[in-house]
Amino acid sequence: VLPRIAVPDGPLDPRTLFPSAREVWLEIGFGAGEHLAHQAARNPDIGLIGCEPYIAGVAACLARIVDAGLGNVRIHADDARALLPRLTPASLARIDLLFPDPWPKPRHRKRRLVDRANLDLIARCLAPGGLFRFATDDPDYAARTLALASRHGAFAWEAAGPADWRRPADAGPLSRCEAKAGSAGRPTVYLAFRRLP
Ligand SMILES: C[S@@+](CC[C@H](N)C(=O)[O-])C[C@H]1O[C@@H](n2cnc3c(N)ncnc32)[C@H](O)[C@@H]1O
């Protein structure tokens, strides 16, 4: 299945992969694909690209895609940082980064996906008004992402009150990490940033 739905190499306008889609969304680090497959099933008029270098996760996601007969998903089975620079600027309406590896030890924090350079890549690919959605159960990662995105200049934080960062991003099934955080009693922080024009 993967060769059929893999994202092609080279510079890419992702909208050409889904000619009849209203918008294209990207999920970075989809794990086993619970959220990606749910979004694809719930939004048949959207084209979804999933990025995940962990091949067992990709395999689990492919099984979901086949079982549900989803025709609106393409997979980049590799690092999102290799894909983002290849995409046409302002070509995505939404980018989801849900429970990225938290790298909780201070000396490992530079490995986190949210940093200034990757926010630049995300800002470049999002269309004006597009959404960057982030979720984590690591309080330090949540606070630093909020600080970095708020002073980046390309994003506006959407929250009006606490319910906005406590409410799950979707009504769908919980991702593996979201379920794990819940059963361990760790609250999740959900952040949604709007790409400024
Ligand atoms: C903690 S898991 C979360 C998985 C899933 N989003 C969830 O909520 O259950 C983080 C995922 O991000 C993936 N990941 C790490 N670095 C990545 C990168 N540079 N590009 C894309 N995915 C990455 C990992 O392989 C892993 O599957």
Side-chain angles (χ1 to χ4, degrees), residues 29-31 52-54 79-81 98-99 101 113 175-177:
F30 58 70
E52 175 54 66
Y54 173 52
D79 193 322
R81 291 166 297 185
L98 306 177
F99 297 85
D101 293 316
L113 270 177
S175 73
R176 200 169 284 181
C177 289

Side-chain angles (χ1 to χ4, degrees), residues 61-182:
C61 185
L62 292 175
R64 289 179 206 282
I65 290 168
V66 171
D67 289 350
L70 300 171
N72 56 339
V73 185
R74 297 289 182 279
I75 300 290
H76 173 70
D78 210 334
D79 193 322
R81 291 166 297 185
L83 176 67
L84 288 166
R86 297 202 275 120
L87 300 182
T88 301
S91 56
L92 300 174
R94 193 169 112 180
I95 298 180
D96 289 345
L97 177 58
L98 306 177
F99 297 85
D101 293 316
W103 298 111
K105 292 185 183 157
R107 71 175 186 280
H108 290 154
R109 281 184 190 150
K110 55 181 176 300
R111 299 182 191 175
R112 285 177 175 172
L113 270 177
V114 177
D115 62 12
R116 172 78 206 195
N118 291 334
L119 283 179
D120 285 348
L121 287 174
I122 288 169
R124 179 186 158 281
C125 291
L126 274 181
L131 263 190
F132 169 44
R133 302 194 320 163
F134 173 92
T136 186
D137 57 336
D138 181 304
D140 178 80
Y141 205 172
R144 281 170 201 260
T145 297
L146 184 53
L148 274 172
S150 299
R151 62 172 181 255
H152 181 278
F155 301 100
W157 188 32
E158 293 262 274
D164 291 316
W165 64 83
R166 292 183 185 144
R167 187 188 314 122
D170 298 292
L174 300 182
S175 73
R176 200 169 284 181
C177 289
E178 199 169 15
K180 254 195 197 157

Side-chain angles (χ1 to χ4, degrees), residues 29-42:
F30 58 70
E34 298 90 346
H35 180 264
L36 183 68
H38 170 73
Q39 291 296 320
R42 204 172 71 168

